[in-house]
Amino acid sequence: MHFPYLSFMTFFPLVGMLIIGLMPSHRADCIKKVALFTTLPPLVAAIGLLMHFDKANAGLQLFEGPYAWIPAFHIQYYMGVDGLSLVMLLLTALVCPICILASWGIEKSPKGYFALFLLLDSAMMGVFSSLDFFLFYVFWEVMLLPMYFLIGIWGGPRREYAAVKFFLYTLLGSVLMLLVMLAFYFYSDGNTFNLVTLANQQTHLGPLKGEHFRHLCWLGLFIGFAIKIPAFPFHTWLPDAHVEAPTAISVILAAVLLKMGIYGILRICYPILPDATVHFGTLMAVIGVINIVYGALCAMAQKDFKKLIAYSSISHMGFCLLGMSSFTPEGLNGTVLQMFNHGTITAQLFLLVGVIYDRAHHRDLEGFGGMAQIMPRYSAMTAFAFFAALGLPGLSGFVSEVLCFLGGFRSFPIITVISVSGVVLTAAYMLWTYQRVFLGQVNEKYKAFSDITARELTTLIPLVIIVVVLGVYPSYILDLMNPTLVALGKTLTDLKIAGL
Amino acid sequence: MATLQSYLMVTAILFGLGLFVVTTRRNAVGVLMGVELILNAASINFVAFAHFRGNDVAGNMFSIFIIVLAAAEAAVALALVISLFRQFGTIDVEEATTLKG
Amino acid sequence: MLNMVWLVPILPLIGAFLNGGYSFSGKKLVRPLVHTIACGAILGSFLVTLLTFIHFLGLPSEERSVTVTLFSWLNLTNVKADVAFLIDPLSLVMMMIITGVGSVIHIYSIGYMSHEKSYARYFAYLNLFCFAMLCLVMGSNLLILFVGWEGVGLCSYLLIGFWFHEKKNAVAGMKAFLVNRVGDFAFICGTMLLLWSLVSVGQGTVTYTELKGAVHLLTNQTVMGFPVLTVVTLLFFIGATGKSAQIPLYVWLPDAMAGPTPVSALIHAATMVTAGVYMIARLNFMYSLAPDTMNVVATVGYATAIFAASIGFTQNDIKKVLAYSTVSQLGFMFGAVGVGAYTAGVFHLMTHAFFKACLFLGSGSVIHAMSGEQDMRKMGGLKDHLPITYKTFLLATVAIAGIFPFAGFFSKDEILWHTFNKEPVLWCVGVLAALGTAIYMLRLVAMTFFGACRADEKTKHHIHESPATMTIPLIILAFLSVCGGLLGIPEALGHLVGWEHSNLLESWLEPVFAGPHHEVEAGHTMEYLLMIFSLGVALGGCYLGYTLYTRRQDIPERFVRRFPRLHRLVENKYYVDEIYQKFIVDNLLRLNQWLALFDQKVIDGIVNLTGSITKVGAFISGWFDRVFVDGLVNLSANLTLQGGRGLRLAQTGRIQDYLYVVVAISLLILFWRFS
């Protein structure tokens, strides 16, 4: 019996939340420290998980359960990891403490903020480790609640609009997911929510036998997840949510929440409905290329710094869609690596925008200029993040982008060639932004700005190190997930070949 | 020979007078007096019926009962009238319309 | 020795890291510390390269190819790439150029940048560039090459925009990076196509040594009706046109002159821009199998050579002239590799690195002396003030013009000779470009060093020869410009003095470019004739250039007056920048705006419309609920209320009224009962 890493990572933040709940609300410093120290043990546990994880094993492992949770409906408490979820858990465990540090400046009722944040942390961990659809769904929904309040209370001027939009949009997706979940439950052998059983069953029952119904189910799930990714045309909640959310929430939104869409597709659609997945492969690739090119072009036209990065996220998540639609080992590895890399890189970008917003109280790209002379260190960090985001070789983003392209090219050469133009467009908007904000004439208004502080640097440095290390030595993560993804890709490729 | 009809005529007139007094007098004490007339009319009826039914004791019993009741009623009613006077400064029943809906 | 070769790129990286950290920390600047680290790093890697070279000299030629693997970078099902260095004669030549010329330019920078505030940042970038460039040439596979390829692009961006407080410089850097990215786009596509084509024949690889044995399998493969190899090599070539500033992607290089002059010398003349030539030379086994691509390469190369040379005539900025000259010389190199003369291409690459670096550094020295003035119309007569600069500059000019026995003569002549054998038409273009080169270079020298000084008094007063840290590099490079050609004396000339195998470079590079030689041996007589002819052209060009821009300045002026339109067209660089701006950039920006609006109004509009429709629906159902459903409930309550209100009228409070009612009802009952 091993240490229950997954349950620990999932529920430990709740302990912190309870402690914060019991603390007097005027002890803001104490609350922050408690929050920080609650997110650290899961990080340690994540490293423990990494040590314990058997890289050679392609399947799920380190199971906890299945324990009966609601026996009447065969609902189980069942957790486990494979290469895919391990990477996501690592990312979540890493980003959470950074976000707490980035929230140090929160003044409006810190008690509520940090308590909600820890609830969010717990739910995210739960999503990535659940192996029971019902459990997954519960965590998925629990996640919405703190997010809604975190945007709706601590957000910018249009926070209510953004929070409601986010909430309703995601809820719409959840409803579709719920329907499909029930279809799976009722038309499975022995009525189960267990994802492993569902994936392993050879025959479908009831309406699920029909190809059209399976396709419908797949689409239902896909829309649910696509909203989260967010995939064109379900993406418009993201810029609003990002613009209004406080810095740390933007970070967590971009770094972890967006990944859940792709994760859900890979965890649920791919293994349970492989034939429908193959059928809709081209659709995913097309949406992927639209995301890449369209997101990049829209980004270029933005005037708001955060909105620009939000659109760049849309563009970067397109690489994931393209890579995963290819079903090749390269594409799938690229996808998951891109998820991780996008998490670390975009987190930096949002943290950096937060830095300047804290000082200037606006994010208008045209309103700065020459910041590199006023804040040289800050500019250096931003340049690093920008180049990482535009896929400079030697940094992690390049590896994942190239793998997505390489994988995509095998299955969809033309679509991939169009997507590759994204690298030009990304460079264009990133560098243009950099030039407008940091280079050129100094804006006299901001001459007195202080450079980046030690605390702000502390939030960035771990991410910088990861970006460099994974750019130089990507095998470190690729080895973790490669067996899982090769196995997943093989099933689908075989099906695809059989279908042809 | 006095017949039952003549008794009944008298009591009917008496009752009519009493009712007239009760409905027309504005003075509360006057109203009370009217009530007494009505009671007496009833009382005489009882006694007359008792006599013509062969000295039935029950009729006489009732008339005595009514006399007692009338005394008690008068006492309570006068007390009410006094209370009314204290409250409104008058014993005019037209003025006491607090129960108006 | 070979197990230390990884030090070659790593040393500059460490240097970059130290100086970068130093600059980042914001500590007080100690200049000697900074340049000791930077120069030490690059000199160290030059030393290691030299030792490796000596080690290689001792090996038999077939053993001169070693792969040094550091670790596995990507190890997936179909894509396997190691972080590994391929050390062979070609990469060694490149390493020697990069570390050698790099060291010289590092030393020069000490003097040139001595007043710069961001001294540590400058040297960090310079070291980082050397690292990336060394990765590019040393990498054993296409992916590592690409890492270096983009890495040098980054450094180029950083260094062009080094003085970023001027928007012009920042924009120039951005332009360079973006134009290069367009090339990289093609490069990535080419890599993908190559890899998957090879996978489909069971030989998936991106490593040169394996590619060499595998590409012939692709000769009969097609993609969309075109031979795969032609498409792949063309895509790579498009990548090369970006990096090496060829038509149509050359536009960034002239603007790149916004960077500090040593940077122009190192990156935009000697090393980075030659990466495309290196890449084609490295993949010669693939290009040789794609004759159509070769024709395109040669044609584009010579077209660029003449095109850029013509612009060189009209420029007045000393660095811009050199920039167009670089574009033109790069055209020669592509012409060379395009006709299959890889050795000649690499030879010209090397000699060009020497004399063009010398010219750029010389121009830097001039600019330094002129207090930052770059306009040649305000120079003149500097030869007495700057004797060393003048002499070295003149030697390099003679070398680039192609006068015997300077370096440019040998390399250019070898190129033209091979071109003549393959494509006489292109040879004519090449000769014309060579003539042009000689003329505009002499124009440059004449305007800068001869005649009377046209500078204002203040500047004039300040003119001084540069310090030793700047002049010694000039002398070294001038020496190399003079003697560098001796490494590739054509056999025909060697024959005269009884020296077989006189072309040292060719025999050195032979293992890399070994393959069937298609060239027709036209006999030495023809070669001598051509040699004499091109020497005559060079001399004539020099004379013409010198005369036209010193004694007979009226002739070019009259020419300009006679053909004003032509002059304006050339002076404005054929309006290529404007065309790109108008047709590509502006349209792209318009598209962005349009799409952003579309996103906001249509896509988000639909979302908000859905929201609004829901809201209207909710309003309607709310209205119905309020009016009808709730109305019914209220109605019953109201009825009761109204009823009560009516009934209460009966309740007068007058005791006698009640009595009337009692009496009336009693009477009614009686009446009803007894009637």
Side-chain angles (χ1 to χ4, degrees), chain C residues 521-659:
Chain C
E521 283 300 329
H524 287 327
T525 328
M526 195 65 203
E527 203 173 339
Y528 294 139
L529 275 177
L530 284 178
M531 240 178 244
I532 291 164
F533 179 73
S534 56
L535 181 61
V537 166
L539 283 171
C542 288
Y543 174 75
L544 212 61
Y546 178 73
T547 316
L548 287 178
Y549 292 97
T550 49
R551 274 174 289 156
R552 298 298 306 276
Q553 287 180 12
D554 52 318
I555 298 176
E557 275 165 27
R558 253 188 295 161
F559 183 84
V560 169
R561 242 174 288 135
R562 178 77 65 79
F563 305 105
R565 265 203 216 140
L566 179 69
H567 181 256
R568 219 179 311 130
L569 179 71
V570 181
E571 196 177 22
N572 287 304
K573 300 159 257 174
Y574 301 99
Y575 297 103
V576 175
D577 275 325
E578 285 76 6
I579 291 168
Y580 282 179
Q581 176 74 32
K582 187 146 186 249
F583 287 94
I584 299 175
V585 180
D586 286 354
N587 280 332
L588 186 67
L589 291 179
R590 218 169 294 143
L591 179 70
N592 295 335
Q593 296 296 340
W594 192 81
L595 273 183
L597 214 64
F598 171 77
D599 196 64
Q600 203 184 3
K601 300 286 175 210
V602 181
I603 306 265
D604 204 24
I606 291 172
V607 175
N608 283 334
L609 188 70
T610 318
S612 304
I613 289 173
T614 319
K615 256 162 111 180
V616 170
F619 180 78
I620 291 172
S621 85
W623 175 79
F624 179 83
D625 194 61
R626 208 170 52 244
V627 174
F628 289 97
V629 182
D630 206 24
L632 216 61
V633 176
N634 284 340
L635 187 70
S636 63
N638 275 344
L639 278 178
T640 321
L641 190 68
Q642 294 302 334
R645 213 166 268 161
L647 283 175
R648 91 177 224 221
L649 293 177
Q651 203 79 4
T652 58
R654 288 191 193 148
I655 197 140
Q656 281 151 342
D657 291 354
Y658 302 147
L659 203 58

Side-chain angles (χ1 to χ4, degrees), chain A residues 161 165 235-236 294 297 300 311 329-330 333 373 377 390 393 406 410 417 420-421 423 440 471-472 474-475, chain C residues 24 71 73 76-79 146 150 154 164-165 177-178 181 185 192 196 592 595 598-599 604 607-608:
Chain A
Y161 171 75
K165 195 168 176 181
H235 63 275
T236 50
Y294 181 85
L297 287 173
M300 219 182 288
Y311 276 103
E330 287 74 24
N333 271 301
Q373 287 181 72
R377 269 180 247 174
L390 64 80
L406 279 173
R410 171 134 225 209
V417 167
V420 177
S421 70
V423 302
V472 178
S475 307
Chain C
F24 189 80
F71 54 88
W73 195 41
L76 299 173
T77 315
N78 297 311
V79 185
F146 191 70
E150 287 253 305
L154 165 75
F164 53 74
H165 49 266
F177 197 88
L178 292 184
R181 271 260 156 156
F185 162 77
M192 293 192 297
W196 289 115
N592 295 335
L595 273 183
F598 171 77
D599 196 64
D604 204 24
V607 175
N608 283 334

Side-chain angles (χ1 to χ4, degrees), chain C residues 37-179:
Chain C
I37 292 172
C39 299
I42 188 71
L43 281 169
S45 70
F46 178 60
L47 196 70
V48 178
T49 311
L50 206 61
L51 290 173
T52 315
F53 179 68
I54 292 165
H55 174 77
F56 260 55
L57 280 178
L59 292 174
S61 68
E62 61 275 10
E63 281 175 30
R64 288 175 186 164
S65 173
V66 181
T67 304
V68 183
T69 307
L70 296 188
F71 54 88
S72 159
W73 195 41
L74 290 174
N75 188 14
L76 299 173
T77 315
N78 297 311
V79 185
K80 294 190 192 332
D82 291 339
V83 174
F85 300 129
L86 174 65
I87 311 301
D88 71 350
L90 177 61
S91 56
L92 264 176
V93 168
M94 295 302 292
M95 284 156 68
M96 292 286 278
I97 295 171
I98 295 159
T99 54
V101 177
S103 302
V104 169
I105 291 173
H106 271 70
I107 293 165
Y108 178 90
S109 300
I110 299 173
Y112 190 81
M113 301 297 277
S114 56
H115 305 301
E116 176 58 47
K117 267 192 300 182
S118 308
Y119 198 62
R121 186 163 63 90
Y122 172 80
F123 276 105
Y125 290 167
L126 218 52
N127 269 186
L128 187 66
F129 168 78
C130 291
F131 160 73
M133 190 68 205
L134 287 164
C135 273
L136 196 162
V137 298
M138 291 171 72
S140 75
N141 57 56
L142 283 171
L143 287 181
I144 302 292
L145 176 129
F146 191 70
V147 171
W149 190 268
E150 287 253 305
V152 292
L154 165 75
C155 298
S156 169
Y157 166 81
L158 293 172
L159 283 163
I160 294 170
F162 183 73
W163 290 308
F164 53 74
H165 49 266
E166 268 189 58
K167 192 183 167 193
K168 178 174 70 79
N169 301 348
V171 172
M174 184 169 77
K175 182 173 171 185
F177 197 88
L178 292 184
V179 173

